[in-house]
Amino acid sequence: MGKEMLTGNGAAAWGVRLAEVDYIPAYPITPQTEIIETIAKWISEGSMDASFVTMDSEHSMVTAAGAASATGVRVFTTTSSQGLLYGFEMLYTVAGWRVPLVMVNVSRGLSSPITLGPDHNDILALRDTGFLQIHCETCQEVLDSILMAYKLAEDERVLLPVMVNMDGFYLSFTRENVEIPDVGTVRSFLSEYQPEHAFFKAGQPMAQGVAVLGGEFYSYFKYQMHLASQNALDVYKEVCGEFEKKFDRKYGTIEEYMLEDAEYVLVMTNSFSTLGKAAVKRAREKGIKAGLLRLRVLRPFPDPDIKNALKGKKAVAVIDQNISVGKGGIIYSEIGGCLFNEKNRPLLLSFIGGLGGKNISQEEFEFIFDKIVSAVDTEIVEPPYLLYTENEWKDMTKLKETAGKE
Amino acid sequence: MLRLRFHGRGGQGAKVASRVLGTAAFLDGYNAQDFPLYGAEKRGAPITAFTRISRENIMERGVISEPDIVIVMDETLLSDPQAMPLSGLKKGGIIFVNTPNSPLETKERYNIADHVITLDITKISLDMIGNPVLSGLAAAVASRIVGIGEDAFRGAVEKELSGIISDRELLVKNTEAALYCYNAIMPVQIKTAESIREGENVITIPFEIALVSSPAINATGNTPLRRTGNWRVFRPVWDYEVCTRCMTCVARCPDGCIHVNEDGYPYADYDNCKGCLICVEECPAKAINKVREMHSRSGEGDR
Ligand code: SF4
Ligand code: SF4
């Protein structure tokens, strides 16, 4: 097919089309709607063959997606932010059914106040559900990750749903060059889904989504999900290997940028990582041995890869584009847990930035590097820091005046 | 890298313009990135869209706050305190303004020191296409300024517009008008320096009590302060010779901005009339004419 200018939403639609998905329950929400609009257009034109059903809410949508997946067909659905929360109950439920559907979440900050810009409190609220999570930095990655997600989810060592995440606006509405693979190559990578455990057939009756009474039973099922999710780390590596062979693009659970000889490391996720990489380049020009670790897979959490990548580093700053109110950055805590038992672990600093799509400016990155370097010099790690600039504060002051505060 | 910012009003085609430029650059062998920033998503409301063009990988994302080139598709935005199309423009940057006035007049009128290019693309659009949708034309101007080849530009216009215009004839007219604009502009040597940033101070946010820090509005509504009269491309003008005073237009104006004078004839509040022309459509006597708005000619538009 070759290269095209595509938005993240367009790239997601292409991923779904190339994966030859059978069933798509849909409900609109900004900034995701373009995905289902594009798919609906293709289906009505006849260039894509799938059942498309508009639902009455995200709760019904996730239920329908899980139920359809339980009949043994390939299923896609997508939402964002408030919609994800509205379907939240069913996300746990369908993950427990062990159905390999793939969902896209287009990240958007959560209410209140209601907003449109991206941060990751929506997707991270899902981290305990059983959904695997792949987070994307570029539009290309969105397309590629959907193809990889089906292969990963449908592997019998895994059989868990996968959520592919992209940032609203910064990817969803942003067009970049995207290579659209041809369907033949995709078919040789992702073969038709052959359901082994979840199917509804008239000749072979079964019940799914049942109740159990008794902790020993309940624990068994939950542990099995956890073990399957852990298996996904190895399966994912196989999937990446095959993907690279077919499409010549290399992915891992993490991405290491100028990391090899780095002493000071930023940890980031999603599209803002591009800004972080540019900041690393600028820091290098000033003689600071900087590097960046981008987390691509967040569930299962790639502990071994992270430990390995951060071994021997002097200090690490986690930039969380989320806030666990009353605690701080979510990924900071997870990296802390991951590194705690390591000998010679690096100092760990926490920054929160980019909430609701707030820019992280060059100066804020410089500020972070100053803090990392001085933490190493003084061996004092300051408490978590919320990135904010004086100009932003001036804008905030104006907004408060308009709203009649003070 | 070149960073372009388009300023238009909802419905004028700023988003599509940024896309046509992005595709043109892509077809010409560059890396490109384009995206719109939707605000109120209302026809007539100010909207911005962005295109980055580079030989290298683009290591930036999000809003362009320091553009090399600004494309102003609606002249009234130059005096709009919310839109501020010139903000952050780099030294040596270029401003294109859609206006019937000359660059010199425009520079004086809006007190601009930088390089200004003008062309009345609304007139070209009305003459050659028959409607004031400016996407292809604004993209043409931008493509020419940044030095994109004609073949790449033509390919981009056809590709992007064919996705949204199904009428073959209209598509041809759009392409012709766009190419006319492309050739009406001279390529420019762009000599912007990489920006010297002012340097933002990183600060610590203090605690404030919920009376201040909860997202509630404690002030009374301020919508009347926001005038929408400069959104018009056409203004409705009444012909009292023909008007039968039936009051249909008064009832149909979606913004309630048609009032009635002492003699029982309707007149518009031009400070707020958005130029939707529903009144023109609805008048049974055809007593309302549409007249092209010339906001830049004093006394005719900015009241
Ligand atoms: S054009 Fe007519 S209907 Fe529309 S806002 Fe103006 S007066 Fe009202
Ligand atoms: S609708 Fe036409 S005829 Fe009736 S009052 Fe308005 S301008 Fe006059």
Side-chain angles (χ1 to χ4, degrees):
Chain A
M1 281 288 308
K3 286 202 167 190
E4 288 244 15
M5 292 290 286
L6 288 183
T7 57
N9 283 342
W14 266 106
V16 177
R17 174 167 164 172
L18 289 170
E20 299 184 285
V21 166
D22 300 299
Y23 177 74
I24 301 140
Y27 190 83
I29 182 170
T30 301
Q32 167 282 115
T33 309
E34 186 189 2
I35 301 177
I36 55 170
E37 277 174 355
T38 307
I39 293 172
K41 183 169 146 247
W42 285 335
I43 292 174
S44 72
E45 286 171 359
S47 53
M48 188 176 160
D49 180 20
S51 300
F52 184 96
V53 183
T54 52
M55 307 301 295
D56 64 337
S57 73
E58 289 86 354
H59 192 276
S60 313
M61 181 187 88
V62 177
T63 312
S69 194
T71 69
V73 297
R74 191 171 277 163
V75 176
F76 173 80
T77 192
T78 174
T79 186
S80 170
S81 175
Q82 303 303 122
L84 193 71
L85 292 199
Y86 197 57
F88 196 62
E89 176 188 15
M90 292 315 294
L91 294 171
Y92 267 89
T93 304
V94 302
W97 296 349
R98 305 292 301 274
V99 287
L101 62 93
V102 171
M103 254 180 108
V104 163
N105 180 60
V106 185
S107 269
R108 167 181 154 186
L110 296 172
S111 294
S112 284
I114 195 159
T115 193
L116 294 174
D119 66 37
H120 306 132
N121 269 93
D122 58 359
I123 175 81
L124 291 176
L126 248 75
R127 61 193 190 275
D128 310 332
T129 55
F131 271 74
L132 311 183
Q133 292 191 13
I134 303 176
H135 293 239
C136 301
E137 182 188 345
T138 64
C139 297
Q140 181 73 59
E141 241 184 285
V142 173
L143 191 161
D144 292 350
S145 297
I146 290 173
L147 301 178
M148 296 166 81
Y150 279 107
K151 201 169 173 67
L152 180 63
E154 290 169 5
D155 191 290
E156 62 178 4
R157 292 164 289 176
V158 179
L159 282 169
L160 284 167
V162 180
M163 189 75 72
V164 174
N165 193 67
M166 75 169 114
D167 284 335
F169 289 79
Y170 286 79
L171 285 195
S172 72
F173 297 154
T174 300
R175 298 198 320 164
E176 308 178 322
N177 305 355
V178 175
E179 173 89 38
I180 305 175
D182 71 88
V183 70
T185 318
V186 173
R187 278 184 194 147
S188 73
F189 168 76
L190 178 67
S191 46
E192 205 179 314
Y193 171 42
Q194 304 288 349
E196 297 291 343
H197 84 291
F199 47 76
F200 283 125
K201 287 197 183 91
Q204 236 174 318
M206 67 188 296
Q208 293 185 34
V210 299
V212 293
L213 298 178
E216 70 277 38
F217 307 128
Y218 183 81
S219 299
Y220 168 81
F221 291 112
K222 283 288 165 184
Y223 288 154
Q224 285 300 322
M225 283 172 75
H226 179 67
L227 295 173
S229 186
Q230 295 280 294
N231 282 349
L233 280 180
D234 286 335
V235 177
Y236 173 79
K237 279 176 191 159
E238 293 172 24
V239 171
C240 288
E242 274 184 65
F243 190 90
E244 192 185 349
K245 256 189 248 152
K246 299 278 184 201
F247 303 102
D248 208 25
R249 283 189 292 279
K250 193 177 164 68
Y251 294 106
T253 55
I254 56 174
E255 184 199 348
E256 303 181 26
Y257 182 80
M258 295 191 164
L259 203 57
E260 208 176 331
D261 66 336
E263 295 177 342
Y264 309 101
V265 182
L266 303 181
V267 174
M268 296 182 75
T269 68
N270 291 285
S271 69
F272 276 52
S273 306
T274 306
L275 308 181
K277 288 174 181 174
V280 163
K281 261 177 108 177
R282 288 192 300 270
R284 285 268 173 174
E285 280 160 19
K286 287 194 195 157
I288 300 170
K289 282 194 159 180
L292 183 140
L293 173 74
R294 176 169 70 94
L295 303 179
R296 206 175 109 77
V297 175
L298 269 164
R299 281 295 178 274
F301 198 71
D303 278 86
D305 296 336
I306 294 170
K307 284 176 184 160
N308 204 23
L310 297 180
K311 190 170 280 164
K313 305 301 178 201
K314 287 187 176 165
V316 173
V318 181
I319 305 179
D320 270 288
Q321 200 174 353
N322 63 73
I323 184 161
S324 173
V325 174
K327 176 72 173 90
I330 293 169
I331 294 171
Y332 172 71
S333 296
E334 298 217 333
I335 299 273
C338 166
L339 295 180
F340 183 76
N341 286 323
E342 294 299 283
K343 295 202 179 76
N344 302 322
R345 57 177 186 247
L347 297 178
L348 199 58
L349 290 81
S350 172
F351 295 88
I352 289 171
L355 297 182
K358 186 191 102 65
N359 183 40
I360 304 182
S361 63
Q362 298 188 11
E363 288 78 7
E364 286 165 287
F365 280 110
E366 281 162 20
F367 177 86
I368 292 169
F369 282 118
D370 285 350
K371 292 283 179 195
I372 309 183
V373 173
S374 82
V376 171
D377 291 347
T378 60
E379 293 190 359
I380 296 166
V381 175
E382 289 179 33
Y385 204 96
L386 179 73
L387 298 172
Y388 211 78
T389 67
E390 205 173 334
N391 286 338
E392 287 164 343
W393 184 253
K394 280 184 199 147
D395 290 343
M396 187 64 230
T397 306
K398 249 190 259 164
L399 187 74
K400 283 188 284 190
E401 277 166 18
T402 310
K405 307 284 189 180
E406 287 150 336
Chain B
M1 177 166 1
L2 287 179
R3 302 166 184 86
L4 286 93
R5 198 168 63 201
F6 293 83
H7 291 263
R9 294 192 176 277
Q12 272 183 332
K15 169 186 160 183
V16 177
S18 75
R19 286 191 162 197
V20 173
L21 176 62
T23 298
F26 168 66
L27 294 176
D28 220 10
Y30 293 92
N31 289 310
Q33 190 193 68
D34 58 61
F35 70 104
L37 197 69
Y38 303 111
E41 296 194 37
K42 274 189 292 192
R43 181 166 283 268
I47 155 172
T48 44
F50 311 85
T51 308
R52 291 186 170 94
I53 300 171
S54 175
R55 291 265 176 227
E56 322 280 315
N57 273 345
I58 297 174
M59 302 279 283
E60 291 180 10
R61 293 195 177 282
V63 165
I64 295 172
S65 49
E66 284 153 358
D68 301 279
I69 298 164
V70 166
I71 306 288
V72 183
M73 294 168 65
D74 190 298
E75 189 182 350
T76 60
L77 293 169
L78 282 167
S79 42
D80 186 316
Q82 242 101 37
M84 297 206 294
L86 303 186
S87 72
L89 182 74
K90 283 192 208 159
K91 259 214 162 64
I94 293 167
I95 303 146
F96 169 80
V97 183
N98 171 19
T99 174
N101 299 328
S102 72
L104 201 65
E105 286 166 329
T106 307
K107 283 173 87 148
E108 277 171 8
R109 188 179 175 91
Y110 298 103
N111 212 356
I112 305 171
D114 305 271
H115 186 163
V116 171
I117 300 171
T118 64
L119 187 66
D120 188 355
I121 59 174
T122 303
K123 179 167 183 343
I124 295 168
S125 186
L126 290 170
D127 290 350
M128 294 183 70
I129 307 173
N131 66 38
V133 177
L134 308 174
S135 39
L137 290 69
V141 165
S143 296
R144 181 64 156 183
I145 292 173
V146 303
I148 294 204
E150 184 165 342
D151 288 345
F153 173 69
R154 178 196 289 269
V157 173
E158 286 173 353
K159 184 168 169 35
E160 292 303 326
L161 298 190
S162 64
I164 42 181
I165 303 176
S166 49
D167 179 345
R168 185 69 222 157
E169 204 185 320
L170 193 59
L171 187 63
V172 170
K173 283 184 187 168
N174 266 277
T175 311
E176 279 170 1
L179 286 167
Y180 176 87
C181 294
Y182 180 91
N183 288 306
I185 298 275
M186 293 303 234
V188 187
Q189 274 283 3
I190 302 156
K191 290 176 295 220
T192 45
E194 273 312 300
S195 61
I196 306 148
R197 296 176 54 86
E198 280 177 25
E200 294 207 64
N201 285 332
V202 182
I203 57 152
T204 304
I205 300 187
F207 168 80
E208 295 187 316
I209 54 168
L211 180 64
V212 175
S213 67
S214 64
I217 298 171
N218 302 40
T220 48
N222 52 17
T223 314
L225 301 178
R226 186 90 176 109
R227 297 274 158 90
T228 50
N230 62 0
W231 293 16
R232 284 193 305 272
V233 178
F234 294 100
R235 64 159 54 193
V237 176
W238 275 258
D239 182 351
Y240 293 155
E241 301 285 313
V242 183
C243 173
T244 63
R245 292 182 283 185
C246 73
M247 297 298 116
T248 305
C249 58
V250 179
R252 288 286 189 264
C253 173
D255 288 276
C257 49
I258 305 179
H259 307 303
V260 182
N261 68 18
E262 284 165 1
D263 303 325
Y265 287 102
Y267 68 96
D269 158 17
Y270 288 122
D271 286 340
N272 290 297
C273 160
K274 299 187 295 196
C276 69
L277 304 182
I278 286 175
C279 53
V280 175
E281 284 290 316
E282 293 290 330
C283 170
K286 301 276 165 264
I288 313 173
N289 300 308
K290 61 174 196 182
V291 178
R292 171 146 181 229
E293 195 66 73
M294 290 290 176
H295 292 282
S296 55
R297 296 205 186 134
S298 51
E300 274 192 52
D302 322 313
R303 285 152 39 109

